[in-house]
Amino acid sequence: MGIRNIVKVGDDILRKKSRKVEKFDARLHKLIDDMKDTMYKAEGVGLAAVQVGVLRRVVVIDCGDGLMELVNPEITKTEGEQQDVEGCLSVPGRNGITKRPMKVTVKAQDRDGNWCVYQGEGLKARCFCHELDHLDGVLFTDNMIEEVRIECAE
Ligand code: NI
């Protein structure tokens, strides 16, 4: 298990733009494996590399139906709209309602550089948007419509 520290809000790195991955090597594979372990340990549904202090365009997501490893992800299509409660492992103790598309299509490379296409609806669509925002230094609190209080935060 490779558990890394999760960077918290207030650290400037969260506001920086992550760089494209060019090398699909053992170092990248180790980063992805560590991100996966770190996300599961923290019981999150998604994690971006910048959240473990690495400014590379890498995201892991698991909304309960399996792990997705997204390298250099881009949103190619969005449809509809939803409003729901969001939180973030880097913004502990805060939750809020954000407006996101209902359906999102993403193209991304896998850990070996092969391009794949993913589609998500509902929670998964929100997750794609939230994690990809991290790669451009955007936090969900930037787009929050309303802050909500939750007794047991996600
Ligand atoms: Ni987040």
Side-chain angles (χ1 to χ4, degrees):
M1 295 273 280
I3 307 296
R4 301 202 188 187
N5 280 332
I6 297 178
V7 176
K8 301 296 191 313
V9 67
D11 190 321
D12 287 346
I13 198 171
L14 288 173
R15 293 309 191 174
K16 292 185 177 161
K17 202 171 157 71
S18 294
R19 293 182 299 272
K20 201 166 177 268
V21 172
E22 310 272 4
K23 281 186 193 165
F24 296 83
D25 54 7
R27 195 186 165 103
L28 174 69
H29 296 178
K30 171 78 173 129
L31 170 66
I32 293 172
D33 290 340
D34 287 358
M35 285 171 62
K36 178 192 73 176
D37 291 343
T38 305
M39 174 182 75
Y40 286 133
K41 174 129 194 290
E43 297 180 354
V45 294
L47 193 73
V50 61
Q51 293 181 273
V52 294
V54 179
L55 283 170
R56 289 287 171 188
R57 302 188 82 81
V58 180
V59 160
V60 292
I61 290 174
D62 188 342
C63 295
D65 60 350
L67 181 72
M68 285 180 282
E69 302 173 351
L70 311 179
V71 180
N72 298 326
E74 289 169 36
I75 291 175
T76 57
K77 193 182 172 197
T78 63
E79 250 185 280
E81 192 182 298
Q82 59 173 321
Q83 288 188 22
D84 213 328
V85 179
E86 238 168 85
C88 178
L89 294 174
S90 292
V91 191
R94 291 187 71 191
N95 293 89
I97 295 171
T98 53
K99 189 191 284 184
R100 301 287 194 187
M102 181 53 87
K103 289 183 187 176
V104 173
T105 306
V106 170
K107 73 166 187 175
Q109 285 168 285
D110 66 15
R111 60 167 63 204
D112 297 312
N114 306 301
W115 285 98
C116 309
V117 174
Y118 301 88
Q119 285 176 320
E121 199 174 336
L123 172 64
K124 197 181 281 184
R126 279 213 311 281
C127 221
F128 283 145
C129 295
H130 178 117
E131 299 309 329
L132 269 64
D133 272 354
H134 273 301
L135 304 182
D136 293 317
V138 175
L139 298 175
F140 83 94
T141 43
D142 299 347
N143 310 312
M144 202 162 64
I145 296 166
E146 191 189 341
E147 182 130 10
V148 292
R149 284 177 169 224
I150 295 179
E151 292 288 318
C152 284
E154 283 179 313

